[in-house]
Amino acid sequence: MAEENVFDIVVLGGGSGGYATALRAAELGLSVALVEADKVGGTCLHRGCIPTKALLHAAELADDARDGAAVGVHTTLERIDIGQVNQYKAGVVGRLYKGLQGLVASRQVELVTGWGRLVATNAVEVDSDGQRRRLVGRNIVLGSGSYSRTLPGLEIGGRVITSDAALELDWVPQSVVVLGGGVIGCEFASVWRSFGAEVTIVEALPHLVPNEDEAICKAFERAFRKRGIKFSTGVWFAGVEQHDSGVHVRLEDGKAFDADLLLVAVGRGPATADLGYEEQGIAMDRGFVLTDERLRTNVPGVYAVGDIVPGLQLAHRGFAQGIFVAEQIAGLEPAPIVEATIPRVTYSTPEVASVGLTEAAARAEYGDDQVTTLEYNLGGNGKSQILGTQGFVKLVRRVDGPVVGVHMIGARVGELVGEAQLIVAWEAYPDDVASLVHAHPTQNEAVGEAFLALAGKPLHAHA
C-alpha cells in the first residue's frame, strides 16, 4: 500500500513549466508537491537552452579571435579545447541548478524525486527511493516535458545523434550533416561552424528557420551561406549508413553527403507516453495534452503546461504558463497567455528574434490590402556598424492600426525582443513608439528608427 499525502497542487514534471507552477503556488500559500524523475530544471537547464547557449558563447569567442585583426586587435585561434568548453558549460548549468534547488527548498515545496504516474484524476503515484508514494492533489498540473524526435525508421545511435548527445561530445567533428533547419539544427550548425567544422543542413521545408517571416529566412540563408554553412532545402531525407569513421547521408533528390556525424534535429515530441494520462480520460492529440485557453484539460482539476501543450515549445512559454496556472488555481483570474505575443529567438550567428505575426500570416488573417510592412536596415545603426553586423528590423502593421509583428535579424537582436513583445502585446501604434527616446548608440535604436520611419518621419532611413 502506497503512503498517501494530500496537497493543494501536485505537479508532475520539474521543468520550466512545472517548477514555475510550484514556486508561484507556494508563494501564494498553497501546499505543493513537485515530482521529478531526474533533475529540477528539466530540458531547458540541463539539455537545452542553457548548455546550448553556453556553447554558442564559446563559439562567438572563437569567431572574435579569428576576426580580431579587422579592428586592429591581432588575435589568433590556436585550438578549441572542447574539454575546457564543456567544463565551462557544466559550471554554468551547475550554478543555475544549485540556485534553483535553493529556491525550491526555500519556498517549502516538497520535491519528490522519482518516476511519477497519474493513477487517478487527483493522484500521482511515485516510486521514490524504494518507496511507493501516492500524492493526492486537489489540483494536478501535468508538465512532463518533451524528448528529441527522430524520423520513422531512423534509428538513433553511434554516429547518428540528437541534441542530447551533441551536448556531451568530447571532440569537435570535422564535418557534420544536420537533419532539420529549425532552431535547434541551426544553433548547432552555427556552433560547429565556429569551431571549424564543415556543416551541411538538410531541411524538408523551403527555408531554414521556416517558422520565421520569409524575408528573415532569406537573409538568414544568405548569412549562413556567407559563413560557409551549406544547406539543402525543400528536399527529403532518404537514409543514412554508418561506418567506422562516419556516416553517408542520402537525400531523395539523389544528393549524398559524407560526414563524421549526423545530427537529427527534427523537433521535439511531447513526453506523455506511459504516464497514465489517457487512462484517466484526458483528451490527447498525437501525444499532446489538449487544454483550453486557461490551460485546463477536459478533466476537472487537471491542468497542463509547457511542451506537452500544443504550440510553441519554448522554456519561457512553459515558465509563463506555470505562473498562470498557479495563479488560476489560487483564484487570481490572470489574463490568458496570448501565443502570438510570446517572443521567439534563434541564438545562432546571426541571431533571429521575432514576436507576433509574420507578413504572410497577417495578410492571411486581415487581407492583403489591410497589411503594410517596413524594413529598417541595420546599416543605419551606429552600434550595429561597430559590431560589424548586418541585418534589419521588419515591422508588420495593420493599415491604420497597431503593429502586429516585429521581426529582426543581426548580432544580439535577441536582446531587443523584450521591447518588441511589449509593442505587439499592448497593440502599439507607430506614433506610440516613435515618440519614445532610445539610448544612443545602441542596437535598440534600430527599433526606434524603424518606428520613426513607419510613423512617417524617418531620420536615418529614406522616406
Side-chain angles (χ1 to χ4, degrees):
M1 184 70 180
E3 177 188 354
E4 186 167 294
N5 303 97
V6 181
F7 299 86
D8 291 320
I9 303 177
V10 175
V11 184
L12 182 54
S16 300
Y19 85 71
T21 303
L23 292 178
R24 182 62 178 137
E27 191 174 54
L28 293 169
L30 302 176
S31 59
V32 186
L34 178 61
V35 179
E36 173 54 51
D38 189 9
K39 295 178 180 178
V40 175
T43 296
C44 171
L45 178 54
H46 300 286
R47 298 176 300 281
C49 315
I50 299 302
T52 55
K53 277 52 178 182
L55 287 182
L56 282 157
H57 177 60
E60 182 183 23
L61 292 177
D63 289 333
D64 288 345
R66 288 190 190 93
D67 300 339
V71 295
V73 180
H74 292 271
T75 54
T76 57
L77 178 64
E78 293 183 3
R79 65 190 177 97
I80 302 294
D81 185 339
I82 195 64
Q84 196 166 347
V85 170
N86 285 337
Q87 283 180 4
Y88 151 72
K89 168 172 63 71
V92 172
V93 172
R95 289 189 295 275
L96 289 171
Y97 178 46
K98 184 176 180 180
L100 182 55
Q101 287 177 300
L103 274 175
V104 170
S106 69
R107 299 282 173 86
Q108 298 182 325
V109 171
E110 181 158 350
L111 178 59
V112 182
T113 303
W115 186 261
R117 193 171 190 276
L118 193 68
V119 294
T121 57
N122 69 338
V124 171
E125 202 164 88
V126 189
D127 289 320
S128 179
D129 297 326
Q131 290 185 314
R132 180 167 293 179
R133 293 185 62 184
R134 184 182 178 92
L135 307 172
V136 175
R138 298 179 182 88
N139 300 274
I140 301 289
V141 179
L142 308 176
S144 44
S146 61
Y147 65 93
S148 295
R149 285 188 186 274
T150 186
L151 297 178
L154 177 54
E155 186 176 343
I156 303 301
R159 290 178 177 268
V160 178
I161 64 174
T162 67
S163 59
D164 292 349
L167 285 169
E168 301 303 320
L169 283 180
D170 58 2
W171 55 287
V172 178
Q174 292 185 331
S175 57
V176 185
V177 174
V178 177
L179 181 56
V183 173
I184 296 171
C186 287
E187 288 186 352
F188 274 100
S190 187
V191 167
W192 280 324
R193 184 58 184 154
S194 296
F195 284 175
E198 295 295 321
V199 181
T200 302
I201 304 171
V202 177
E203 171 55 55
L205 293 174
H207 290 291
L208 300 184
V209 289
N211 292 328
E212 299 296 338
D213 187 273
E214 187 172 1
I216 295 289
C217 296
K218 291 178 177 179
F220 187 82
E221 289 167 355
R222 288 194 296 272
F224 261 32
R225 198 177 287 116
K226 187 175 180 180
R227 291 186 62 195
I229 297 173
K230 303 178 181 68
F231 51 88
S232 292
T233 56
V235 61
W236 290 87
F237 169 81
V240 60
E241 289 83 40
Q242 294 195 53
H243 47 83
D244 289 344
S245 59
V247 294
H248 181 72
V249 179
R250 294 176 286 105
L251 307 185
E252 286 195 348
D253 66 356
K255 290 180 182 176
F257 306 100
D258 292 300
D260 293 337
L261 292 172
L262 172 64
L263 171 68
V264 180
V266 293
R268 298 188 64 83
T272 56
D274 301 320
L275 294 178
Y277 296 175
E278 288 180 295
E279 292 93 317
Q280 301 309 320
I282 292 170
M284 312 277 287
D285 179 26
R286 294 172 296 171
F288 289 96
V289 176
L290 301 180
T291 70
D292 64 10
E293 67 172 4
R294 306 200 75 82
L295 300 173
R296 297 173 293 205
T297 70
N298 62 307
V299 176
V302 180
Y303 300 78
V305 297
D307 287 356
I308 64 172
V309 178
L312 297 167
Q313 290 181 310
L314 299 170
H316 48 278
R317 172 182 179 253
F319 188 79
Q321 288 179 336
I323 294 171
F324 174 90
V325 165
E327 294 181 351
Q328 170 78 12
I329 291 170
L332 300 184
E333 291 298 315
I337 298 165
V338 179
E339 194 90 356
T341 64
I342 296 172
R344 309 175 294 274
V345 184
T346 303
Y347 294 90
S348 52
T349 299
E351 287 188 354
V352 172
S354 59
V355 63
L357 301 179
T358 64
E359 179 180 349
R363 292 189 185 282
E365 183 164 341
Y366 302 118
D368 282 341
D369 61 343
Q370 294 301 308
V371 174
T372 185
T373 66
L374 179 136
E375 292 183 15
Y376 174 77
N377 196 291
L378 294 183
N381 177 260
K383 188 60 179 285
S384 296
Q385 285 293 312
I386 292 166
L387 294 174
T389 187
Q390 296 179 333
F392 58 88
V393 176
K394 178 174 179 177
L395 308 180
V396 180
R397 181 195 185 185
R398 293 183 65 180
V399 172
D400 298 326
V403 169
V404 296
V406 179
H407 309 275
M408 301 174 283
I409 184 169
R412 306 182 187 179
V413 293
E415 302 301 327
L416 310 183
V417 81
E419 181 180 10
Q421 181 192 32
L422 294 178
I423 289 164
V424 173
W426 288 347
E427 300 181 339
Y429 281 61
D431 285 325
D432 296 332
V433 184
S435 64
L436 301 176
V437 179
H438 292 77
H440 175 77
T442 63
Q443 284 189 288
N444 193 233
E445 274 185 295
V447 175
E449 294 269 5
F451 275 88
L452 279 168
L454 192 58
K457 43 186 177 182
L459 194 62
H460 295 101
H462 296 293

